Amino acid sequence: MKNYSKVIQNIARAMLRAGLVDEVVAFGRDSPASDIIPLFITDERDVEKIVTVSYYPCSLAQLVALYGDKNKRIGMIVRPCDARAMVELAKRRQVNLDNFYIIGIECYGVLRTRNKNEEIYIFPNEMEIDGELKTLDEGILSPNCRRCEYPIPTMADVSCRIEPNGESSVTANTEKGRAVLAAANISSQQSPSDRTAIKERAARWQEKDFGELKKMNRDERLKYWLNQLDKCIKCYGCRDSCPLCYCEVCNLCPEKPLIQGGEIPPERLFHITRLMHVGDSCCNCGQCEAACPMGIPLSRLYHMLYKELSSIFGYESGLNVNSLPPISSINEEDLVKTGVDLG
Ligand code: SF4
């Protein structure tokens, strides 16, 4: 594990030293006693603060899209869902990927909550706690991670992987990735990653989380979700934590005519609007559900809708910057072909 962190730190240092980037954005500790926080590193001595434990408190893609300096070249150390969010944000012209060097960390899940006493890193079937390998307790994973089928950040410039035996390997996926590895003097290796265990786990949890709901008829399913959404206290946590919610002026704000201010729960349009805006491109990062103080299973709702749309339109979010999400690309002819009835 130590070696893995060192590999990531070396890549971050090399990007800064070679002048490929002005800043590196990553999670780490500002001091030994600090919690895991986003770091914006410009001094190469600070790369040692970067850590790779399985806790991911917010979306770095969202931070750079909202607050990043558009004139800076930025290196990002991110998990696959955040790398996918960057691709989706690029399609929406919220970031210019030419300015980013994305270093993806292969990820087999993050923790539901921060465990202060233990450093945990998760492998497909095992977890490393304080340097010791144990059988993975899937119950500690965020629900969205258990359903995730994208543990390998192939859409990043570089993807980094660690094996349970401590060996790490790094793969350059793009020209920029090759430049990074050349600067870090690391050779690119073919990723030996086997996704079978993760695909099986994702299928098992999707069946568990979606199966019961799919068995319901349309009215029962609607009733289930409306009951869940009626717990909403309109704190805006889901909106504010979503990497794909970037509008500076949001239609859900009380000063806009769409949603009545002061009403709890909010009108259903509140959630329908969010679903319409991001449902076809959800990267299943789980930040909405983690932010919700009312325990509404939002990532299940968004992930289920995304899977449904993906099966109809064949769109996979965050994998390819040149393929556009259905809501912005489909036309009437496509709807007829796919048999979708909007009536
Ligand atoms: Fe409602 Fe939960 Fe979203 Fe807050 S985070 S607005 S309570 S759904």
Side-chain angles (χ1 to χ4, degrees):
M1 198 60 223
K2 261 188 188 152
N3 288 342
Y4 191 45
S5 293
K6 285 274 172 249
V7 169
I8 304 287
Q9 291 168 4
N10 284 344
I11 289 174
R13 185 181 295 107
M15 288 194 289
L16 286 166
R17 194 174 283 175
L20 294 174
V21 300
D22 305 305
E23 186 171 60
V24 171
V25 180
F27 282 112
R29 287 199 178 80
D30 204 24
S31 69
S34 133
D35 210 336
I36 307 290
I37 55 168
L39 300 172
F40 294 78
I41 297 171
T42 51
D43 183 331
E44 65 177 77
R45 286 170 297 187
D46 288 335
V47 300
E48 309 227 338
K49 295 175 177 175
I50 297 172
V51 296
T52 49
V53 296
S54 287
Y55 179 61
Y56 211 68
C58 61
S59 163
L60 292 182
Q62 187 202 35
L63 287 188
V64 298
L66 284 180
Y67 309 114
D69 183 336
K70 302 270 187 273
N71 299 313
K72 275 188 176 173
R73 290 158 306 144
I74 297 177
M76 294 179 75
I77 315 286
V78 289
R79 292 180 187 275
C81 49
D82 244 354
R84 290 174 66 202
M86 287 296 288
V87 172
E88 288 302 310
L89 287 165
K91 290 175 196 177
R92 292 158 176 78
R93 304 209 174 120
Q94 298 307 303
V95 294
N96 177 357
L97 287 182
D98 291 346
N99 294 339
F100 288 89
Y101 285 74
I102 299 180
I103 313 302
I105 303 173
E106 292 196 16
C107 173
Y108 300 99
V110 301
L111 303 176
R112 244 193 304 218
T113 52
R114 171 91 175 96
N115 186 329
K116 281 202 176 283
N117 301 321
E118 296 165 326
E119 300 289 26
I120 297 180
Y121 197 82
I122 294 162
F123 302 99
N125 298 312
E126 291 166 310
M127 54 190 184
E128 188 192 76
I129 303 179
D130 293 338
E132 202 184 318
L133 273 183
K134 301 194 170 161
T135 304
L136 174 63
D137 170 6
E138 291 180 2
I140 67 169
L141 298 182
S142 286
N144 56 301
C145 296
R146 297 189 294 227
R147 298 189 301 263
C148 175
E149 300 148 321
Y150 303 100
I152 301 169
T154 51
M155 67 302 297
D157 295 304
V158 172
S159 46
C160 307
R161 169 187 172 82
I162 184 169
E163 301 286 357
N165 67 8
E167 294 294 319
S168 54
S169 68
V170 176
T171 306
N173 300 318
T174 63
E175 271 312 311
K176 277 194 285 177
R178 281 183 269 286
V180 170
L181 294 194
N185 204 17
I186 298 174
S187 3
S188 176
Q189 292 165 18
Q190 193 65 34
S191 172
S193 302
D194 176 7
R195 299 173 208 202
T196 313
I198 285 296
K199 290 260 181 197
E200 284 170 2
R201 188 179 84 192
R204 188 161 34 85
W205 281 96
Q206 284 182 24
E207 174 55 31
K208 192 169 185 304
D209 291 352
F210 304 156
E212 282 302 308
L213 286 162
K214 281 186 176 168
K215 278 185 213 147
M216 295 177 186
N217 65 36
R218 209 150 130 168
D219 289 346
E220 290 167 337
R221 198 159 53 239
L222 181 66
K223 189 168 166 208
Y224 170 84
W225 282 119
L226 292 181
N227 279 342
Q228 289 289 344
L229 296 174
D230 279 349
K231 297 181 204 161
C232 177
I233 56 169
K234 203 170 58 172
C235 69
Y236 291 96
C238 50
R239 180 198 67 173
D240 294 348
S241 60
C242 176
L244 302 186
C245 256
Y246 55 81
C247 299
E248 277 178 27
V249 181
C250 173
N251 274 334
L252 304 180
C253 287
E255 54 275 18
K256 300 290 271 183
L258 195 63
I259 304 293
Q260 181 77 32
E263 246 183 33
I264 303 291
E267 286 164 63
R268 277 147 188 177
L269 255 186
F270 181 90
H271 293 287
I272 292 169
T273 305
R274 271 204 21 85
L275 276 164
M276 287 293 295
H277 273 195
V278 300
D280 64 346
S281 307
C282 174
C283 298
N284 189 34
C285 68
Q287 295 297 338
C288 52
E289 187 165 323
C292 180
M294 303 311 289
I296 302 171
L298 293 166
S299 76
R300 192 190 307 172
L301 174 61
Y302 281 83
H303 195 190
M304 200 171 157
L305 176 68
Y306 164 76
K307 290 293 291 182
E308 200 61 37
L309 291 171
S310 180
S311 73
I312 297 169
F313 298 107
Y315 179 70
E316 289 191 272
S317 73
L319 300 193
N320 179 349
V321 78
N322 296 316
S323 92
L324 292 176
I327 282 180
S328 55
S329 58
I330 53 170
N331 54 33
E332 273 185 44
E333 204 182 313
D334 295 325
L335 290 178
V336 172
K337 263 194 246 156
T338 51
V340 175
D341 174 12
L342 297 182

